[in-house]
Amino acid sequence: MKQIALLALVVMLLGACAAPQKADKEATFTNRNMKVDSEIMTPEALWSFGRVGSVAVSPDGKTVAFTISYTKIEENKTYSDIYTMPAEGGDYKQITFTKGGEFDINWRPDGAKITYMSAASGDVQLWEMNPDGTQNQQVTKVDGGIEGYKYSPTMDKIAFAKSVKLDKTVHDMYPDLKYADARIEDDLMYRHWDHWVDPTYSHIFYIDYANGATTGSATDIMEGERYHSPLKPFGGMEQVTFTPDGKSIAYTCKKKTGMESAFSTNSDIYLYDIKAASTKNLTEGMMGYDIAPKYSPDGKYLAWESMARDGYEADQNRLFMMDLASGEKKDYTADFDQNVHGLTWTPDSKHIYFTSEDKGSNEIFRFDLADNSISQITEGIHNYNSVAIAANGLIATQTSMKHPTEIISVNAETGEGSNISKVNEPLLGQLKMGDVEKRRIKTTDNKDMLVWVIYPPNFDKNKKYPALLYCGGGPQSMVSQFWSLRWNFQMMAANDYIIVAPNRRGLPGFGQEWNEQISGDYGGQNMKDYFSAIDAVSKESFVDENRLGAVGASYGGFSVYWLAGNHNKRFKAFISHCGIFNFEQMYSTTEEMFFVDWDYKGNYWDTDNKTAMRSYANSPHRFVKNWDTPMLVIHGAKDFRIPYTQGMGAFNVAKMRGVPARFLYFPEENHWVLSCHNGILWQREFFRWLDTYLK
């Protein structure tokens, strides 16, 4: 249920790839000079912001290459191009002008070429070009295309991911039945996230490389294995790396299938020796997620992100490291009660930078190998989502509730950041944003809870406003300084709503105890936290306590359904997007079983399991006799994490109960809404519903 915005961007770009070509400004599209008619945000303005995607710093640390994608609303299409700029800041230059786009950009290890993926030849392949955008050249020519790439530090090999067919289809088994349309399944995990699982598996290959071209045939380092690397559905080539000497490849893989895979998070780091053609499990006996191996540049250490417990996808994400000389493995975050994400070594191998959730924002931290200490580098009302090393500091990406992603130059000593990309300044300068306030509110068990309160752009304290309780998803995803094309707080505030967004129990960034409390306690303390937040803010003179709504997606959608049966007349309108309505049905039909099994603490037929029985007793469908408040239900047909029948069940019951209800159904969307026109429709229906019952 974790939402990874980068995947949404990659999916959109994959659907819009086109051939590299000479600079032809008519072939691409940008909104950079767009003029708006009003200072108040609209769905169309929201979809017109430029979206910074891949960001890569040159090996010498002096140049940043990055992609910006713009949506042409009338075409329902996204265009993406590559840009470069000095790492210290300055004007950026567009170096590709294509009808579709390039993605997954990087620099060749020698810094002489920018590398990227494109479907120019029909399939997605690896391409190179000069840093000024000239001399585009296709590097790989792999049948069926590739799914990711990585150069060896020695530049004599390239690793790439490619799908390999290993299982039979109905037509393979019964070739005479060429018009048969069916699947035959014998085990679990036959569908995942938003697709029915193919008879193919993503494998890692390597191939020789020299002077801009691959030579010879590629070698599958996982030949015959019915496993995926990178991990599905969200893993990328950050899960694959060469050793510094280029002689071996480390990769992430969960070598389990079927029901065993559905109930397990136990992935490992494997090391493939190219010369010996042999594989070794480096993390054998470590039972949770072990992902994203990163070798120190001096070749002495291997660092990776690790979780301790099998089946717990929201366990603490630790910084683990192996001394390659001794083989000793150690958790270097045993005294750091937070997560680590995106490990980045410094060139001297003395430090590792990473990001971590920290009390309502994502910040940059530094690990010092000399004394094993961790220091916080940045602090503020923002999210730092990635960090890289530049010649004179750090290059990071940052969002906030007031702006989409921008590229920031960060002083590694002071933490001071400067926006060097300014992609969206022209549009932001025409719009008025609402203030974002950080509050501390007491919970029913006398804890301090961080609550974000977002105000309308032209807030007048003498007026009374309707207010919306935002119920966060995940369930264990911090309510941070994020920017979304749907759950956008500035969009909600622009429609004259006060937004109340609590970091209730069960979220990271406030210590592991706070994060873990939610497991086995759905419908418990975290729901009380929601009431504490909305009750406190609704007492303000500028809030109309008779015009309160509750909205949310995923776990937030479940929260809305649960609140509908337990809110004691607090709310006048509800919106649930892709929410869980019936726990028994959810347990029986979701795909990654480890999530529900861990969070519910078991199945629904184990009646002796008191904790599990308490979970199922809090299923929203058990409280529908109390439903009496208008409900908008939104769901996508390709949501296999929370199947759309959950939304259908909630809508049908609301109608049978005589409750005003509407069902907004997207046949081609998954757990998110990715296309432009569907996204704008989402916004229009969202506010049409709220305005009907709260204004």
Side-chain angles (χ1 to χ4, degrees):
M1 294 170 77
K2 300 294 182 285
Q3 297 185 359
I4 304 180
L6 178 59
L7 177 74
L9 177 60
V10 170
V11 169
M12 296 178 75
L13 297 183
L14 277 168
C17 291
Q21 55 188 317
K22 295 180 180 179
D24 176 6
K25 295 185 179 181
E26 296 301 317
T28 190
F29 173 77
T30 75
N31 276 335
R32 186 158 175 81
N33 297 317
M34 176 182 174
K35 301 297 181 183
V36 295
D37 297 328
S38 170
E39 66 178 5
I40 303 302
M41 180 91 79
T42 64
E44 291 76 13
L46 180 60
W47 274 87
S48 296
F49 283 105
R51 279 168 280 167
V52 175
S54 299
V55 177
V57 180
S58 60
D60 64 8
K62 296 180 180 180
T63 307
V64 180
F66 58 103
T67 61
I68 309 176
S69 60
Y70 289 95
T71 299
K72 196 169 188 178
I73 294 175
E74 60 268 30
E75 294 181 357
N76 195 36
K77 182 179 178 181
T78 296
Y79 293 79
S80 178
D81 288 291
I82 300 176
Y83 299 74
T84 61
M85 68 179 172
E88 68 268 19
D91 293 337
Y92 57 81
K93 178 184 178 183
Q94 183 174 350
I95 61 172
T96 64
F97 300 82
T98 63
K99 291 182 178 180
E102 299 78 36
F103 59 100
D104 197 8
I105 66 167
N106 217 311
W107 293 81
R108 206 169 66 179
D110 63 357
K113 300 284 185 178
I114 292 175
T115 64
Y116 61 94
M117 289 169 66
S118 166
S121 61
D123 294 321
V124 174
Q125 303 287 351
L126 169 62
W127 292 68
E128 293 179 346
M129 65 181 172
N130 291 334
D132 63 359
T134 60
Q135 295 185 1
N136 303 77
Q137 180 175 335
Q138 183 177 343
V139 177
T140 60
K141 297 178 181 179
V142 177
D143 288 344
I146 66 173
E147 299 161 5
Y149 68 92
K150 186 72 64 81
Y151 285 75
S152 67
T154 49
M155 275 181 49
D156 61 342
K157 290 179 175 61
I158 290 174
F160 62 86
K162 170 183 164 55
S163 290
V164 178
K165 184 180 178 183
L166 296 176
D167 294 339
K168 291 183 177 181
T169 66
V170 165
H171 296 125
D172 294 323
M173 295 188 299
Y174 303 102
D176 59 315
L177 302 178
K178 61 181 180 180
Y179 297 116
D181 184 11
R183 299 178 62 95
I184 300 174
E185 304 295 347
D186 295 305
D187 211 338
L188 298 188
M189 291 294 284
Y190 49 84
R191 63 182 194 173
H192 201 185
W193 189 252
D194 61 359
H195 65 281
W196 290 83
V197 174
D198 293 327
T200 61
Y201 298 82
S202 179
H203 280 192
I204 303 301
F205 290 73
Y206 74 86
I207 192 169
D208 290 336
Y209 167 86
N211 302 318
T214 57
T215 60
S217 58
T219 299
D220 182 354
I221 71 174
M222 302 167 62
E223 187 173 5
E225 296 185 7
R226 285 172 162 78
Y227 315 118
H228 294 282
S229 183
L231 299 181
K232 297 290 186 178
F234 302 124
M237 292 302 284
E238 77 283 350
Q239 297 185 359
V240 181
T241 189
F242 281 92
T243 52
D245 61 9
K247 295 180 179 179
S248 298
I249 300 171
Y251 66 96
T252 306
C253 189
K254 183 169 73 172
K255 298 201 173 184
K256 300 178 185 295
T257 60
M259 187 161 69
E260 186 183 18
S261 177
F263 277 90
S264 176
T265 59
N266 185 16
S267 64
D268 285 296
I269 308 296
Y270 293 86
L271 184 66
Y272 178 83
D273 185 306
I274 293 174
K275 183 176 181 180
S278 61
T279 302
K280 178 182 179 181
N281 186 348
L282 299 179
T283 57
E284 189 169 5
M286 299 179 69
M287 301 310 296
Y289 276 126
D290 291 289
I291 63 170
K294 298 289 186 298
Y295 283 95
S296 60
D298 63 10
K300 294 181 179 180
Y301 299 95
L302 174 65
W304 70 94
E305 300 172 28
S306 174
M307 293 185 183
R309 289 169 282 186
D310 191 5
Y312 186 21
E313 68 168 7
D315 204 354
Q316 183 183 7
N317 210 36
R318 307 167 298 174
L319 167 57
F320 242 82
M321 198 180 306
M322 177 187 290
D323 184 318
L324 296 176
S326 67
E328 179 187 7
K329 293 176 283 192
K330 182 179 177 180
D331 174 10
Y332 285 88
T333 45
D335 298 322
F336 184 67
D337 198 15
Q338 296 175 211
N339 295 317
V340 303
H341 305 287
L343 307 179
T344 303
W345 284 95
T346 54
D348 60 10
S349 300
K350 293 181 179 180
H351 303 93
I352 295 175
Y353 285 93
F354 61 89
T355 62
S356 178
E357 303 97 338
D358 181 58
K359 303 176 183 63
S361 63
N362 291 348
E363 303 296 346
I364 298 173
F365 291 76
R366 179 176 59 228
F367 168 74
D368 190 329
L369 190 58
D371 59 7
N372 299 338
S373 64
I374 294 176
S375 306
Q376 183 169 344
I377 304 302
T378 62
E379 185 176 4
I381 300 180
H382 52 230
N383 274 4
Y384 279 107
N385 301 308
S386 68
V387 58
I389 311 299
N392 296 306
L394 307 174
I395 293 294
T397 55
Q398 184 200 86
T399 60
S400 81
M401 292 179 187
K402 287 190 171 185
H403 69 78
T405 301
E406 295 284 359
I407 302 172
I408 310 297
S409 174
V410 178
N411 185 305
E413 300 305 318
T414 67
E416 181 180 354
S418 175
N419 181 358
I420 60 172
S421 58
K422 303 177 183 177
V423 169
N424 289 297
E425 278 197 352
L427 183 52
L428 286 170
Q430 301 176 67
L431 299 172
K432 189 168 185 179
M433 297 291 173
D435 289 335
V436 177
E437 176 186 70
K438 179 189 286 190
R439 289 195 182 195
R440 291 284 182 176
I441 288 175
K442 287 291 183 182
T443 62
T444 56
D445 57 347
N446 204 37
K447 304 286 187 182
D448 285 326
M449 175 174 57
L450 188 152
V451 178
W452 298 109
V453 180
I454 301 92
Y455 295 88
N458 294 307
F459 174 69
D460 181 350
K461 66 180 181 180
N462 296 313
K463 289 176 57 177
K464 278 195 175 288
Y465 293 87
L468 301 177
L469 172 67
Y470 170 75
C471 302
Q476 287 152 300
S477 297
M478 185 174 66
V479 181
S480 60
Q481 285 291 308
F482 66 89
W483 179 272
S484 169
L485 287 171
R486 287 161 307 287
W487 299 98
N488 189 290
F489 295 144
Q490 290 295 339
M491 186 75 250
M492 299 179 199
N495 281 268
D496 262 2
Y497 290 96
I498 302 286
I499 316 304
V500 182
N503 275 277
R504 45 90 179 145
R505 222 61 53 96
L507 301 182
F510 304 90
Q512 197 64 13
E513 180 182 352
W514 185 277
N515 185 49
E516 292 195 13
Q517 191 282 330
I518 195 172
S519 297
D521 193 40
Y522 281 28
Q525 183 59 52
N526 67 103
M527 294 299 159
K528 296 177 183 178
D529 292 347
Y530 281 139
F531 289 141
S532 295
I534 193 64
D535 288 350
V537 177
S538 64
K539 291 177 182 177
E540 296 283 2
S541 61
F542 49 80
V543 173
D544 187 342
E545 63 181 356
N546 295 313
R547 292 190 292 154
L548 305 179
V551 301
S554 198
Y555 183 86
F558 148 75
S559 301
V560 169
Y561 291 146
W562 189 94
L563 291 171
N566 295 277
H567 68 109
N568 295 320
K569 308 295 184 181
R570 281 178 174 85
F571 300 104
K572 297 298 187 295
F574 291 116
I575 299 178
S576 174
H577 178 121
C578 294
I580 308 170
F581 173 65
N582 184 315
F583 281 8
E584 286 91 343
Q585 185 187 37
M586 173 69 176
Y587 190 92
S588 300
T589 57
T590 192
E591 16 82 288
E592 289 182 348
M593 292 302 306
F594 53 76
F595 167 70
V596 285
D597 199 59
W598 186 280
D599 268 29
Y600 296 170
K601 296 305 180 187
N603 59 59
Y604 58 85
W605 56 88
D606 185 3
T607 54
D608 293 331
N609 183 337
K610 293 182 179 179
T611 304
M613 291 304 101
R614 184 179 65 186
S615 293
Y616 291 104
N618 271 294
S619 176
H621 82 282
R622 296 186 179 275
F623 304 103
V624 295
K625 66 180 181 180
N626 301 326
W627 281 23
D628 60 4
T629 305
M631 173 83 70
L632 171 61
V633 175
I634 308 173
H635 226 113
K638 293 184 178 179
D639 184 355
F640 298 154
R641 174 55 47 87
I642 302 178
Y644 72 88
T645 50
Q646 293 278 313
M648 287 178 63
F651 170 73
N652 292 353
V653 166
K655 296 303 292 185
M656 287 185 275
R657 290 279 305 152
V659 175
R662 177 174 295 148
F663 187 33
L664 177 56
Y665 171 75
F666 293 102
E668 296 301 321
E669 300 289 357
N670 58 25
H671 202 58
W672 304 322
V673 177
L674 300 179
S675 81
C676 171
H677 282 195
N678 283 344
I680 292 174
L681 173 63
W682 189 99
Q683 294 284 357
R684 290 179 182 177
E685 284 295 307
F686 186 91
F687 292 109
R688 183 158 76 107
W689 189 259
L690 293 177
D691 291 352
T692 298
Y693 294 101
L694 298 184
K695 291 185 179 180

